Amino acid sequence: MQSKLIAFFKPRADAAQKSEIGDDDLSLWETTQHLFVNTYTRRPNLSDHCDKRKEVNTDPVNGKLSRPVSGNQRLKPGTRSSGKVLNKKRSYAQFHLDLGQSDFNLRTCSTCDFNYAPGDELDEKQHRSFHKNYTHGVPFKAWRHERCVQRPNNEGGRVILVLDGDPSAQRNKVQEVVKMMEIELEAGWIFHKLCQVYLFISSQRVAGCVVAEPIEEAFRVIPSPMDGASHSAVGKASGSKRNILRFGQILFHREVAKKLHPTNAVGGLDANGAIVCEEETVRAVCGIRAIWVTPSNRRRRIASQLLDAVRSSFSNGFALEKSELAFSPPTSSGKSLASSYVGSPSFLVYKPASFEC
């Protein structure tokens, strides 16, 4: 038996040595002695886009097994498993926290009162568009059925009347113009359904607007003796040489405004610069609720032409007199316009329904 084992482990040079061991003896040895088992694994083929071979890596720090890495990621570290190339260029965006600061990365336009962020392309584009619409007028395309009430001779403009029953496109245009008016005249009171809106169209833009409403009575303004005196006092003070400070070639002018003392109120209104009216009411037909002209079109008699259009078309069948027009409590510029149009500082003023007296 020992000789057979030695012969089995002896290197076999030819087939003759293999015949020396019988088949029966070899099967008996395999069943009673050791059995050698050889295991072979098939190596997969590499493809162009995907490698299914996985390797198990060991972390040299903690000795734990890490996640298997695919061959595609190992061979191409700059790509994902899907084959898409990663974008190596990074885009940076600056973010800010707005916690209610009064002026936080924003700038307010002194003309159109629009808040925007300097340097932001979208904000600056919106500001340019809004600023142009405010200073030159809201863009306007001719309507198929527009109610033209007047065509002034100068510069080819026209006045269009819009009522509450008109198509939605015309009423939406009125709302867009009213938003521009609210920047100077405050919001929430200018327009309501009973109003008649007059639009002055020039160069395909709305250059001016008047909002009128029917009324029955108004109050007559009492002229103030300080109206002309205040302007002359300021002019004399500004022209005085004693109010000029010189530093080299730089001149500083100091204006001295005369303080107005309160006057005795007739109608219960008592404040500096307030409109003082008579107690008794007078008859009025049309109330000028609001009037506005774009800044670039002022000093061109557009407001006067709008008021002429109101007087000629507000009441069907006859034109109104200037004395039958009444104005809502005006600003300083509105007071100058009303007195200039009527021809007297004693014009009519009424209280709109939305105003609290």
Side-chain angles (χ1 to χ4, degrees):
M1 189 63 182
Q2 187 67 24
S3 59
K4 292 182 179 182
L5 290 175
I6 294 173
F8 176 77
F9 287 100
K10 186 177 180 181
R12 292 173 290 183
D14 49 8
Q17 294 181 356
K18 182 178 178 179
S19 61
E20 293 180 358
I21 302 175
D23 295 338
D24 296 337
D25 295 338
L26 182 58
S27 60
L28 178 62
W29 181 85
E30 291 179 351
T31 55
T32 57
Q33 302 296 327
H34 301 284
L35 181 64
F36 296 95
V37 178
N38 294 329
T39 304
Y40 299 93
T41 57
R42 184 178 179 180
R43 182 176 298 175
N45 296 327
L46 294 176
S47 60
D48 295 337
H49 300 284
C50 181
D51 187 5
K52 298 182 180 180
R53 180 178 58 187
K54 297 182 179 180
E55 297 177 358
V56 179
N57 300 330
T58 304
D59 192 351
V61 179
N62 50 22
K64 296 182 180 180
L65 295 179
S66 62
R67 184 178 178 181
V69 181
S70 64
N72 190 25
Q73 293 179 348
R74 185 179 67 255
L75 295 177
K76 299 179 180 180
T79 59
R80 295 182 179 179
S81 59
S82 60
K84 297 181 179 180
V85 179
L86 296 178
N87 187 9
K88 296 182 179 180
K89 295 183 180 179
R90 298 182 181 180
S91 59
Y92 298 93
Q94 182 68 40
F95 292 92
H96 305 275
L97 294 178
D98 188 357
L99 303 178
Q101 299 89 327
S102 59
D103 188 7
F104 179 74
N105 198 35
L106 292 177
R107 182 178 299 173
T108 303
C109 180
S110 59
T111 303
C112 64
D113 200 24
F114 187 87
N115 294 329
Y116 67 99
D120 191 337
E121 183 178 356
L122 180 60
D123 271 18
E124 291 186 350
K125 182 178 180 181
Q126 292 178 351
H127 170 247
R128 288 192 297 268
S129 177
F130 186 86
H131 186 90
K132 185 175 182 180
N133 293 342
Y134 175 78
T135 55
H136 297 278
V138 177
F140 180 85
K141 294 182 179 180
W143 295 326
R144 179 176 300 178
H145 303 287
E146 62 182 22
R147 191 181 292 105
C148 183
V149 296
Q150 188 175 359
R151 289 184 178 273
N153 296 328
N154 57 339
E155 300 184 5
R158 65 186 187 277
V159 179
I160 295 176
L161 173 60
V162 181
L163 302 177
D164 183 63
D166 290 342
S168 59
Q170 301 183 15
R171 288 185 280 111
N172 292 338
K173 181 62 66 173
V174 169
Q175 292 294 341
E176 189 176 355
V177 176
V178 168
K179 289 182 180 179
M180 296 296 177
M181 300 173 63
E182 291 176 347
I183 297 177
E184 295 185 18
L185 305 179
E186 297 183 357
W189 66 274
I190 296 179
F191 177 76
H192 61 81
K193 292 184 178 181
L194 299 179
C195 292
Q196 299 182 13
V197 181
Y198 294 82
L199 304 177
F200 189 93
I201 310 301
S202 177
S203 301
Q204 297 184 351
R205 288 185 178 271
V206 180
C209 176
V210 167
V211 180
E213 62 180 345
I215 59 174
E216 296 180 355
E217 59 182 14
F219 299 88
R220 189 172 299 278
V221 175
I222 298 178
S224 175
M226 303 301 296
D227 290 341
S230 61
H231 295 286
S232 62
V234 173
K236 292 180 181 179
S238 61
S240 178
K241 295 181 179 180
R242 293 178 300 175
N243 295 324
I244 298 178
L245 299 178
R246 180 185 296 273
F247 291 93
Q249 297 180 355
I250 301 176
L251 298 179
F252 294 91
H253 297 271
R254 182 178 61 182
E255 294 183 359
V256 179
K258 186 176 180 180
K259 183 178 180 180
L260 299 178
H261 298 283
T263 58
N264 296 326
V266 178
L269 300 176
D270 185 7
N272 290 334
I275 301 295
V276 182
C277 303
E278 296 179 355
E279 293 182 353
E280 296 181 359
T281 60
V282 295
R283 177 181 176 274
V285 178
C286 176
I288 305 301
R289 192 176 181 90
I291 182 169
W292 178 76
V293 178
T294 57
S296 64
N297 293 295
R298 293 171 185 175
R299 306 295 180 183
R300 293 172 51 189
R301 298 193 70 257
I302 292 180
S304 300
Q305 296 174 17
L306 284 169
L307 293 176
D308 290 340
V310 173
R311 291 196 302 111
S312 62
S313 62
F314 187 81
S315 298
N316 295 328
F318 61 94
L320 300 177
E321 298 293 334
K322 292 183 179 181
S323 59
E324 294 177 319
L325 294 180
F327 299 85
S328 62
T331 60
S332 59
S333 59
K335 182 180 178 181
S336 301
L337 171 64
S339 59
S340 175
Y341 182 77
V342 176
S344 172
S346 180
F347 55 91
L348 298 182
V349 173
Y350 78 105
K351 301 175 183 179
S354 60
F355 277 15
E356 297 181 0
C357 302

